[in-house]
Amino acid sequence: MLSDIDAPAARWFRRITKWDGSPRARLICFPHAGGTASYFRGWSRLVPSDIEVLAVRYPGREDRFVDPFAESMEELADDVSAAVQPLLDRPVAFFGHSMGASVAYEVAARLSAKARPHAGRAPFHGPAPVALFLSGRAGPGHERMRNLGKADDRELIDAVIGMGGTEAHAFNDPELRDLVLPVIRSDFRLVERYGRTSPGSRALSTPVFAYYGDHDAHLDPRAIEAWSAVTSGPFTVRSFDGGHFYLARHAEELVGDVVGRLRPHLGRPAR
């Protein structure tokens, strides 16, 4: 738990790096479909001590197992946007992989927009992220819908294994499989609903950096380039050798690139 911030934020974010009380920036990571905050725990040894890394704790998994799944991207992005407010006292950047890229983008768009009511929820606003790192996800309007949210168990398992997902090992254990499959199915359903309703074209001024594996069967350079439409700021693409989960093999190189691009935005050390 994050003992130094309020309970709503602690419920939504897990600290990955050791806390020394004086980060110059925060990097908030958004997991993939079926993923968990602990996916990013290996990043703790790759990030300098003046950058605090946190990961989003989606409902319905790990220590939020009893919480109901988010029903829509709007619901999830609204909740994260409200919970992140106490963390905006330092420069903040977002990194999202796969589904997490879309969640990160939607949260960034909300923080960049003027405060406004959202379907009965309290309005919120806050500083925009200083950088947005989007990985393994096609830009708005270029997603390939696979209807995996409605697939049977075998088809869903085969799809996750085919993408190289880290959850694949759980399928060999019947008890773990029964825990993991509902999470994956719910996330795919959320992503597919979001893709069909068109995310819109909320313009950001935030620098956007897009990453992908050059052997990802569900992405191509044109789909990645589509992210350039969401920002009036700088846009950069970088590919890595590998498939959808290229970042597992290239964590050190990827995190090094992220940290290098984030460093010009670091705030002053806290006293």
Side-chain angles (χ1 to χ4, degrees):
M1 300 291 285
L2 306 180
S3 58
D4 55 299
I5 61 176
D6 64 14
R11 180 168 168 250
W12 278 93
F13 302 98
R14 173 175 294 170
R15 180 171 292 119
I16 301 300
T17 50
K18 184 178 180 181
W19 171 247
D20 67 3
S22 57
R24 297 175 61 192
R26 292 187 169 104
L27 176 64
I28 299 179
C29 300
F30 294 72
H32 55 278
T36 62
S38 60
Y39 181 79
F40 295 98
R41 64 188 174 210
W43 287 27
S44 61
R45 63 181 179 80
L46 303 174
V47 177
S49 60
D50 56 353
I51 298 176
E52 182 184 25
V53 180
L54 304 108
V56 180
R57 303 169 65 219
Y58 298 147
R61 65 212 74 192
E62 290 191 325
D63 40 9
R64 293 195 64 189
F65 178 75
V66 298
D67 293 343
F69 299 126
E71 291 295 322
S72 68
M73 181 68 73
E74 181 179 41
E75 175 189 341
L76 183 57
D78 281 353
D79 286 344
V80 176
S81 299
V84 79
Q85 296 297 316
L87 302 175
L88 301 179
D89 60 329
R90 309 289 167 86
V92 168
F94 293 163
F95 176 94
H97 179 65
S98 197
M99 179 185 89
S102 292
V103 185
Y105 160 65
E106 287 291 339
V107 174
R110 282 158 171 73
L111 297 181
S112 299
K114 293 181 179 179
R116 60 185 186 277
H118 286 271
R121 297 169 184 267
F124 50 77
H125 67 281
V130 296
L132 188 58
F133 302 97
L134 306 175
S135 168
R137 177 74 171 158
H142 289 257
E143 305 91 340
R144 298 179 184 178
M145 298 295 103
R146 302 177 63 191
N147 292 315
L148 291 173
K150 296 182 179 180
D152 60 35
D153 288 355
R154 185 68 260 169
E155 185 179 358
L156 192 57
I157 289 170
D158 289 345
V160 174
I161 292 174
M163 287 188 289
T166 55
E167 296 76 25
H169 73 278
F171 300 143
N172 296 322
D173 183 319
E175 292 185 3
L176 285 177
R177 183 173 63 239
D178 290 344
L179 292 175
V180 169
L181 275 179
V183 175
I184 297 172
R185 190 185 305 282
S186 175
D187 285 352
F188 276 122
R189 188 181 298 123
L190 181 151
V191 168
E192 288 159 5
R193 288 172 178 166
Y194 170 69
R196 290 194 180 91
T197 56
S198 181
S201 56
R202 298 188 177 104
L204 306 175
S205 59
T206 303
V208 173
F209 306 95
Y211 303 100
Y212 71 106
D214 57 11
H215 298 301
D216 191 330
H218 303 288
L219 287 176
D220 58 54
R222 183 166 172 260
I224 294 294
E225 289 282 351
W227 282 115
S228 64
V230 306
T231 186
S232 59
F235 175 75
T236 304
V237 175
R238 180 174 177 181
S239 65
F240 289 85
D241 177 49
H244 189 64
F245 284 94
Y246 72 90
L247 63 174
R249 290 174 50 200
H250 298 284
E252 186 169 356
E253 190 176 0
L254 172 64
V255 175
D257 193 86
V258 168
V259 169
R261 297 182 187 279
L262 179 55
R263 190 154 292 284
H265 302 284
L266 296 187
R268 295 180 178 179
R271 295 181 177 178

